[in-house]
Amino acid sequence: MKSIINNKTPYFFIAPAIILLFLFSLLPIFVALVISFTDIDLAGLADWSTINFIGLQNYTEVLSDEIFIKSILNTLFYVIFGVPLVIICSLGIALLINYGKARIFKAFRAVFYMPSITNVVAVAVVWSYLYNPQFGLFNYILELLHIPPVPWLQHPVMAKVSLIALALWRAIGINMIIFLAALQGIPKTYYEAAQLDGASDWKQLTKITLPLLRYAIFFVSITTMIGWLQFFEEPFIMTKGGPLDSTTSVALFIYRNGFQLSNFGYAAAGSFILFIAIIIVTMIQFRLQKKDVDY
């Protein structure tokens, strides 16, 4: 009897986490899947009898929606340019802080980490003033350099670049901490042996540091990719998806249709398309990492 209780003890410890995962993750996913095959709207929440099963109609309509297609292209733009920039910048800053000898490098940890824990609304307000075409700091600096003002949030392409710059500034901190932890876990003996063999700093970086950081880089790349595929806060607060839906992401498209237009079934269909895309991208990354490890 005692052995049976002991065998079940671990399940009692993980039960709260499993229950919360089921209630707030798995169950909502299942409910959203069911909703995506219906025409549920605000009236349907009050009276379930008005809900009709429409099959794949939401999926066919959302895939032919010009704004949804545009949001996919915008999201790909964010991912293609944002993810590499976040990884390169956060890794570069982590290397500088880890190997920096001056005491000021310790303060840089807090300086670069602070934006990631700052409220996004407060950040958006400050950056809105910085991006202001007439009175913003950025255009003021350009004016001092005799460079024409830039329409940071008014031009379709420039607006996406501006949002990427803001998101990059906010995302560096957390990934920098992850890379710092990985760097400090590399044994010093590897570098001492390399120095005895006359290896340059570049050789140590490319032959020791980066190969031993591959798991940290893999983790950061996955989490960063998922985060940028769900890019929402910056375009929602800064541009509302404009101008001309040039900054509308898939997540913002889903929010508009679900919470502003009350087309819950339509929004659920879009969310599942995004969900499947995230799963596919994650599986591809895992497959590439596995090949790299096997090699």
Side-chain angles (χ1 to χ4, degrees):
M1 183 66 179
K2 186 176 180 180
S3 62
I4 295 176
I5 295 176
N6 290 335
N7 291 335
K8 293 183 178 180
T9 300
Y11 297 101
F12 288 106
F13 284 101
I14 66 173
I18 297 297
I19 293 172
L20 291 174
L21 177 66
F22 176 77
L23 291 177
F24 296 103
S25 294
L26 300 180
L27 184 60
I29 290 174
F30 177 75
V31 173
L33 178 62
V34 174
I35 288 175
S36 68
F37 297 110
T38 67
D39 61 353
I40 183 173
D41 54 12
L42 199 59
L45 294 178
D47 185 6
W48 289 6
S49 63
T50 61
I51 302 174
N52 299 309
F53 180 80
I54 57 175
L56 297 175
Q57 181 178 335
N58 284 328
Y59 289 92
T60 56
E61 290 181 358
V62 77
L63 288 174
S64 60
D65 191 326
E66 293 182 0
I67 298 179
F68 183 72
I69 301 301
K70 196 169 186 178
S71 69
I72 292 176
L73 297 176
N74 293 335
T75 302
L76 288 176
F77 186 94
Y78 295 137
V79 170
I80 291 172
F81 291 98
V83 173
L85 283 173
V86 170
I87 296 174
I88 293 172
C89 292
S90 56
L91 178 57
I93 293 172
L95 289 169
L96 290 174
I97 293 176
N98 187 67
Y99 295 112
K101 303 299 182 182
R103 296 180 61 181
I104 194 173
F105 285 102
K106 294 183 179 180
F108 284 164
R109 299 187 185 189
V111 170
F112 285 105
Y113 184 68
M114 284 294 292
S116 62
I117 60 175
T118 304
N119 184 275
V120 64
V121 177
V123 169
V125 170
V126 174
W127 280 71
S128 295
Y129 285 110
L130 296 176
Y131 283 143
N132 188 286
Q134 295 180 340
F135 311 106
L137 177 62
F138 293 153
N139 278 345
Y140 175 74
I141 294 174
L142 294 179
E143 183 181 355
L144 294 178
L145 300 174
H146 303 287
I147 299 175
V150 175
W152 299 103
L153 298 178
Q154 291 73 37
H155 188 273
V157 177
M158 201 64 220
K160 285 195 280 284
V161 175
S162 301
L163 292 181
I164 289 175
L166 169 57
L168 173 65
W169 177 75
R170 292 188 64 238
I172 285 177
I174 294 178
N175 295 322
M176 176 200 68
I177 296 297
I178 295 172
F179 282 130
L180 274 175
L183 284 168
Q184 293 174 1
I186 299 176
K188 302 295 184 182
T189 53
Y190 293 165
Y191 297 103
E192 293 172 357
Q195 291 170 1
L196 290 174
D197 290 338
S200 62
D201 293 339
W202 177 253
K203 285 289 185 181
Q204 294 178 43
L205 175 64
T206 56
K207 301 300 182 181
I208 299 176
T209 305
L210 293 181
L212 293 178
L213 287 178
R214 66 180 182 274
Y215 293 111
I217 295 173
F218 172 64
F219 174 78
V220 169
S221 64
I222 285 183
T223 55
T224 304
M225 180 78 72
I226 293 174
W228 283 87
L229 286 171
Q230 298 175 337
F231 195 55
F232 171 76
E233 294 173 332
E234 286 79 2
F236 173 69
I237 297 173
M238 296 288 291
T239 63
K240 305 297 182 184
L244 302 175
D245 291 309
S246 61
T247 60
T248 300
S249 63
V250 176
L252 182 55
F253 173 87
I254 295 168
Y255 171 84
R256 280 180 182 170
N257 285 275
F259 293 96
Q260 294 182 343
L261 304 177
S262 299
N263 296 327
F264 300 117
Y266 194 73
S271 67
F272 256 87
I273 293 174
L274 177 62
F275 177 68
I276 293 171
I278 292 174
I279 291 178
I280 292 174
V281 170
T282 304
M283 291 179 64
I284 291 173
Q285 288 182 302
F286 269 102
R287 190 65 178 267
L288 294 175
Q289 175 69 11
K290 185 178 179 181
K291 287 183 177 180
D292 182 60
V293 172
D294 293 341
Y295 177 78

